Amino acid sequence: MRDYKVEPQDCVSARRTAMDNHRANPSAGIYVPECTSEGLYARAQCHKSPQYCWCVQPRTGRPIKGTATQGVRPDCDSARRGLKNFKGCSMHKKQEFLDELVQSFIREMLEDAHNKSIAIDTPTSEKGARWKFASIDINSNSVLDKREWKVFKKEWRSFQQRDGRQKKQRLRKCWRNLPRFCDENDNQKITMDEWLACTSVTRDIKTSLPRNQNRRGKNPFSTILKSD
């Protein structure tokens, strides 16, 4: 694999520089990066397209080893899934963690509903995950940004100590790296779809609105329930 180095700068700037260099010297075979509409690096990059292509990290443009192809564009979605495991969180720990995590979402949701005198019929994993997303989404813009990731990370102690299960200490790296893993397109924002996908929650459950006439302020239940 030839070493086409990509400078650790934003894609738009890197592309502009590369195009200027190409115009100055068209025969030099200069690599010009492809960018997304958000200004990130397209996951698949090609040089003298489509003769030689490879996958990159969307935010940095750094190549992902073992993804180079010739004549066709590589399957960068599969490459990402193989790359973005929980750092320090083995597959066995990951499954245990996700099971514990979703159950903790359900318990928190039920406790909050009880405190607010809200009735929830058939608490499910999806309802719990949607409720948790809304409770972290401080600015209610349906996206979790890095500031809100910090809110989630600070809840580690309560997650660890819930039910007195000190064994959760060994799941700490799984907890810490969850937001990064959920960020499917590496744009430092997590949508509801990304959140449900990375917590392994299904999305085919119909719900109805619990009854509570006295609630004030933000309602995290609004993301999981529809009005009657």
Side-chain angles (χ1 to χ4, degrees):
M1 175 177 176
R2 292 179 61 187
D3 184 17
Y4 292 105
K5 293 184 179 179
V6 180
E7 295 296 330
Q9 59 179 311
D10 69 276
C11 187
V12 175
S13 297
R15 180 177 174 83
R16 184 183 302 115
T17 299
M19 291 183 70
D20 289 343
N21 292 335
H22 173 71
R23 282 191 290 268
N25 190 357
S27 62
I30 294 171
Y31 155 63
V32 179
E34 299 177 40
C35 307
T36 68
S37 59
E38 294 181 316
L40 301 174
Y41 288 87
R43 291 183 185 174
Q45 296 289 325
C46 293
H47 186 68
K48 296 182 179 178
S49 177
Q51 295 180 12
Y52 180 74
C53 302
W54 64 97
C55 300
V56 303
Q57 301 279 7
R59 283 191 294 115
T60 65
R62 291 183 179 135
I64 298 174
K65 292 181 179 179
T67 61
T69 59
Q70 194 163 10
V72 295
R73 296 177 76 87
D75 182 356
C76 295
D77 286 337
S78 294
R80 178 204 170 275
R81 286 192 292 270
L83 178 71
K84 289 198 72 172
N85 291 318
F86 285 50
K87 187 177 180 180
C89 183
S90 66
M91 291 298 294
H92 176 74
K93 283 185 180 180
K94 174 184 172 183
Q95 190 56 58
E96 178 185 351
F97 168 68
L98 290 176
D99 290 343
E100 294 273 4
L101 182 72
V102 173
Q103 289 304 310
S104 75
F105 291 167
I106 294 174
R107 287 194 294 268
E108 287 184 66
M109 177 182 67
L110 291 175
E111 289 174 5
D112 191 40
H114 176 74
N115 292 337
K116 295 176 180 177
S117 299
I118 296 175
I120 298 181
D121 295 330
T122 316
T124 64
S125 297
E126 182 179 356
K127 289 180 183 179
R130 287 182 178 276
W131 176 89
K132 187 62 178 181
F133 183 98
S135 71
I136 303 171
D137 183 18
I138 299 173
N139 58 10
S140 302
N141 68 344
S142 300
V143 172
L144 304 182
D145 57 30
K146 293 198 73 172
R147 181 171 63 93
E148 291 162 333
W149 294 4
K150 293 179 181 179
V151 174
F152 172 80
K153 289 181 179 181
K154 288 180 180 179
E155 296 180 355
W156 160 252
R157 187 176 297 277
S158 61
F159 169 77
Q160 178 194 11
Q161 295 178 345
R162 186 176 292 275
D163 301 328
R165 302 182 68 175
Q166 294 300 322
K167 72 174 185 177
K168 290 181 180 176
Q169 174 62 31
R170 67 192 188 90
L171 302 178
R172 184 166 189 169
K173 288 186 177 180
C174 299
W175 177 279
R176 186 175 61 193
N177 287 290
L178 179 68
R180 188 182 307 167
F181 182 80
C182 292
D183 184 13
E184 178 72 22
N185 58 5
D186 296 304
N187 66 350
Q188 301 187 33
K189 297 178 182 179
I190 301 173
T191 65
M192 178 67 82
D193 281 345
E194 288 175 325
W195 178 255
L196 294 177
C198 77
T199 55
S200 301
V201 173
T202 56
R203 283 165 272 185
D204 59 354
I205 299 177
K206 295 181 179 179
T207 56
S208 59
L209 179 69
R211 296 174 176 79
N212 176 28
Q213 302 298 323
N214 300 317
R215 184 194 60 76
R216 294 182 179 179
K218 181 181 176 181
N219 180 14
F221 295 99
S222 63
T223 64
I224 63 173
L225 305 165
K226 298 178 182 179
S227 58
D228 292 332

